[in-house]
Structures are given as C-alpha cells and as structure tokens.
Amino acid sequence: MKEIYLDNNATTMIDPSVFELMKPYLENIYGNPNSLHRYGQATHKALNDALNKLYSGLGASDLDDVIITSCATESINWVLKGIYFDEILNKDKNEIIISGVEHPAVGAACAFLEARLGVKVKTLPVNSEGTCNVDDLKAMISDKTALVNVMWANNETGMIFPIKELAQVAHEHGALFHTDATQAVGKIKVDFRSAGVDFASFSAHKFHGPKGVGGLYIKQGLKLTSLLHGGEHMGGRRSGTLNVAGIVGMAEALRLANLMLDYENSHIRRLRDKLEDEILTIPDVSVVGIRANRVPNTILASIKGVEGEAMLWDLNKAGIAASTGSACASETLESNPIMEAIGAEADLAHTALRLSLSRFNTESEIDYAAEQIKAAAKRLRAISSTYAYSPSWLKKDK
Ligand code: 7TS
C-alpha cells in the first residue's frame, strides 16, 4: 500500500542525516554540559557549533539571545506570560493585540491572561486573503498596548504576514512585537534581525528536526521574565539540563532547510501548484489565499458537499495523510475557525482540506494524491445529501 505524507504542517519526518548527527549525543556523549568533568566538556564543541548554526540560520546577531526551549508552544507561552510580568503588571499598559488566526498556543495563553489576570486582548482582523492590514493595526494600537503578536506564516492557509511593517507600527507606539515563526522557519527565508521583531518562536519538528526542541529569539537587551527557574542554564533565562541531541539536531535541520530554500521555492512550489490546479478542477472547490503570498508547501481547499472526517478517512484508506486543519484544534473537524475568521465558506457542508508538502514528496506521489482526492470528492458527494441541495439550516450562524 502506498504511504503519502501530506501533513507536514503538523509535523515532519526527521531528516535521516539529522538523526545520524544526533545519535552520539543519545548514546556515548551523554554528559551534562554543565558538569566540569570530561563527560560534560565532551558536549561543548557540538553545542557551540549548533548555536552558531542557529544564530546564522535565523539571522540573529551575537548580541541577541536564541534560547532553546522544548517547543514553539513553550516559547509562545513564555513571551505572552513574560510580557505580563515585565510590561503590564505595575505599568500603565494593559493590552495585547493578536491576529484573528493565531495558533491555539497564542489564543489559549491570551485567554488565560484575560480570564485570570485581567489583560485586555484585542483581535486584529484578517482580510479575505487571510492576512492582516497594517492600517488596521494602526487604527487599533494605543499607548496601552504592551505587545503585538502576529504569526509569520499561518499553519492552515500558509499565508505570509507583513511582519516587518507590523513590527514597525508596534514600535512607533511603544509596543513590543512577537512573531510566531513556527511555519515560516525552513519554508521561506527568515532573518529575525532585519525583520525588526523583538521575539520569535519556532519548533524544530516543523523543518525535519526532532520533536521536543524549539527556540525563542530575544532581541538584544530585552528583558523577559523567566518561566522556568532552577539552575542557571542558558544564561539564567531558561533553566533545565540542555537537550544536547535535540539542539544538535535542530541546528543541523535548520542548516539543511536553509540550504534547500531554493528547492522549496522551485520544486516543492511546482508540485504544490500542480496539486492545487488538479484540486481546482473539482467543481465547487476554492483555495484560500493568493499563491504568491503563501509558503510554498501549503494548500487549504474548501470543498463543498463533503464531510471533512469522511474525506480524511477515505484518503487515509488510500494511504494519504492529510488534515482538515490544525491537529491542535480538534473542533476543526467540522468547522474550521481559520476559514470562519477569513470569511471563507466553512460549515457542515464544506470541508477545509489542508495539504502540506515537504522536500521528501515526489511527483508521482502528488499525481496519485490528486487522483485520489478527486475520486474521494466524487464518491462522497454521491452519497452526501448536503451537496445535492445544501439546505440553509446546515449552515452555522455567522
Ligand atoms: N505555532 C504554529 C503556527 C503552529 O503551526 C504550531 C503547530 C505551533 C505553534 C505549536 O508547535 P509545537 O511544536 O509547540 O506543537 N501546528 C500544528 C498544526 O498546524 N497541526 O498540528 C500542529
């Protein structure tokens, strides 16, 4: 049976050469880098090399901090909760602005800050293309705004946001700017310094690195109250014994992903566009967002008259792994919040099918997937009462 993985925005396969490089640090070179003996020292060169790769791969200056965390969720929570202690508590600021299509790590952390600590959370609207207008931020921001938080690229639609311009507006109003770059790193060129962001979050497993390791970029000189107190690891910013194998793996995965950016932008983009063109031949199908403004690997298609779970099940039987949206938000099985936020049709009579490619996909896989998606849509519509007449009572109140 064929196995075709098209859910790379959920997670990616670890690159075999990354795994090879990590192995010694899971086997023989197991010392704690903070130990003074030879076991500890044996890890230092690898850690140094890895940090150098990370700084250069992310466009960080030596004066900035790149702090290793366990995942993007941790990095995001750290920024949002740290901002509460540093910028809101005991200061005159009381609000955070987030885009309407952030990952649940942002949404849930903000809901916590709002419910438990009285922080005012304002939502920057997204336009019908699935991105934000700089003018909307200008209209909404005030001297009470502590932080503006907008993702670099969206995990469902792949849409790329105007980070540099948004960060500039935040700074003009005395606010800090955090971008969740989890879906941008490794897919498009990111340079945190020249983008002018204050904080940026990322996760290694989204770019063919290992799970359980991510990072937070913190611009030179910025304070951020620590969430994890303990030993003085990472310059006292984040305590906990270093995940040497993870750090080595993440750095090598980033180096490889950056080397492959041209390939991502030509070969993967071409396969993505080919698959998208095929899907668009199905009647009553639309795709969210202009191709040129999306990361090269992502398609979010709205398919009328097909139930999402049934589509995924059918594709799964054919060996194809796809998703109806983020695996982090199970309610997306029937209604997709991102599609609702951007005003695209997303209700019980439409499936939001997310297909996300990687450099490990081949052209024949894409041809097969296109065939199977078309066949599944046809088959499921034939047995669907909703496609025949799409009764209005099926649509959710908007
Ligand atoms: N931010 C974005 C934009 C993401 O896409 C994800 C994971 C995260 C944060 C969290 O990353 P983690 O490594 O901490 O888990 N997104 C998805 C997704 O789209 N489907 O499954 C996971």
Side-chain angles (χ1 to χ4, degrees):
M1 165 131 115
K2 285 185 196 282
E3 280 187 29
I4 298 169
Y5 187 73
L6 295 177
D7 200 13
N8 287 280
N9 287 6
T11 196
T12 58
M13 165 186 140
I14 190 164
D15 186 302
S17 66
V18 166
F19 183 52
E20 282 306 313
L21 211 65
M22 290 171 65
K23 266 190 191 162
Y25 304 96
L26 295 164
E27 292 173 340
N28 308 320
I29 312 178
Y30 55 80
N32 183 330
N34 280 25
S35 300
L36 296 179
H37 48 63
R38 74 183 63 178
Y39 288 83
Q41 285 169 12
T43 62
H44 288 183
K45 185 175 176 323
L47 276 177
N48 254 334
D49 289 351
L51 287 172
N52 283 338
K53 283 187 203 171
L54 285 171
Y55 273 71
S56 72
L58 297 167
S61 142
D62 283 350
L63 302 169
D64 301 329
D65 272 344
V66 175
I67 306 297
I68 308 303
T69 63
S70 62
C71 59
T73 300
E74 181 191 327
S75 306
I76 290 165
N77 271 266
W78 182 11
V79 174
L80 292 166
K81 292 169 185 169
I83 287 293
Y84 172 76
F85 289 107
D86 301 325
E87 298 292 321
I88 295 179
L89 190 69
N90 302 327
K91 285 204 184 165
D92 206 19
K93 299 189 182 246
N94 68 348
E95 67 183 32
I96 292 176
I97 296 178
I98 65 173
S99 88
V101 289
E102 294 297 313
H103 184 272
V106 171
C110 283
F112 168 83
L113 291 173
E114 198 164 34
R116 301 291 294 275
L117 300 168
V119 176
K120 191 168 172 192
V121 180
K122 295 208 291 202
T123 305
L124 180 63
V126 282
N127 56 34
S128 59
E129 281 302 331
T131 183
C132 292
N133 299 331
V134 177
D135 285 343
D136 288 337
L137 179 60
K138 284 184 186 159
M140 175 180 279
I141 198 165
S142 76
D143 59 359
K144 298 278 182 223
T145 309
L147 180 79
V148 177
N149 184 119
V150 179
M151 64 202 330
W152 196 310
N154 182 265
N155 48 315
E156 312 236 24
T157 62
M159 285 298 294
I160 299 168
F161 290 72
I163 292 308
K164 196 171 181 171
E165 293 76 7
L166 293 168
Q168 205 176 327
V169 174
H171 293 151
E172 281 163 12
H173 291 79
L176 292 164
F177 188 86
H178 169 233
T179 187
D180 172 4
T182 308
Q183 295 290 347
V185 173
K187 297 191 177 91
I188 53 174
K189 179 155 177 45
V190 299
D191 186 316
F192 292 148
R193 256 279 160 147
S194 60
V197 301
D198 298 303
F199 307 103
S201 300
F202 54 94
S203 224
H205 71 99
K206 304 288 188 186
F207 49 90
H208 303 292
K211 292 174 183 56
V213 61
L216 180 66
Y217 164 87
I218 305 176
K219 196 165 100 188
Q220 174 187 2
L222 286 180
K223 184 171 181 229
L224 189 67
T225 289
S226 296
L227 290 191
L228 301 189
H229 299 103
E232 289 296 294
H233 307 88
M234 299 247 95
R237 298 202 97 153
R238 195 247 185 207
S239 296
T241 301
L242 296 190
N243 173 1
V244 179
I247 298 168
V248 166
M250 174 159 71
E252 178 63 3
L254 179 65
R255 190 186 71 81
L256 290 174
N258 281 340
L259 267 183
M260 302 271 189
L261 280 185
D262 283 346
Y263 185 77
E264 183 93 25
N265 238 312
S266 53
H267 182 71
I268 300 174
R269 183 180 288 280
R270 186 180 69 76
L271 292 186
R272 189 276 306 268
D273 290 353
K274 186 177 187 188
L275 181 57
E276 189 168 321
D277 286 339
E278 288 295 329
I279 292 171
L280 286 169
T281 64
I282 306 170
D284 294 329
V285 165
S286 59
V287 168
V288 180
I290 306 167
R291 279 183 196 175
N293 285 352
R294 277 188 267 144
V295 290
N297 78 321
T298 308
I299 301 171
L300 184 67
S302 166
I303 306 179
K304 189 177 176 188
V306 171
E307 210 234 312
E309 225 170 325
M311 172 62 105
L312 288 194
W313 198 242
D314 253 36
L315 293 180
N316 188 46
K317 271 198 298 189
I320 298 166
S323 112
T324 50
S326 168
C328 306
S330 53
E331 74 274 20
T332 57
L333 281 176
E334 285 191 341
S335 78
N336 184 307
I338 301 286
M339 307 270 286
E340 285 181 14
I342 64 178
E345 289 190 288
D347 49 42
L348 290 175
H350 289 80
T351 282
L353 178 66
R354 179 180 73 178
L355 300 154
S356 45
L357 285 66
S358 84
R359 63 175 185 258
F360 292 100
N361 289 124
T362 63
E363 184 135 17
S364 63
E365 286 182 347
I366 295 305
D367 292 341
Y368 172 76
E371 225 174 81
Q372 292 299 322
I373 293 165
K374 287 195 276 189
K378 202 168 176 185
R379 196 162 47 242
L380 293 170
R381 277 174 175 175
I383 55 168
S384 155
S385 54
T386 60
Y387 187 56
Y389 54 92
S390 291
S392 57
W393 52 264
L394 266 178
K395 299 205 180 231
K396 286 183 53 176
D397 288 336
K398 289 209 174 142

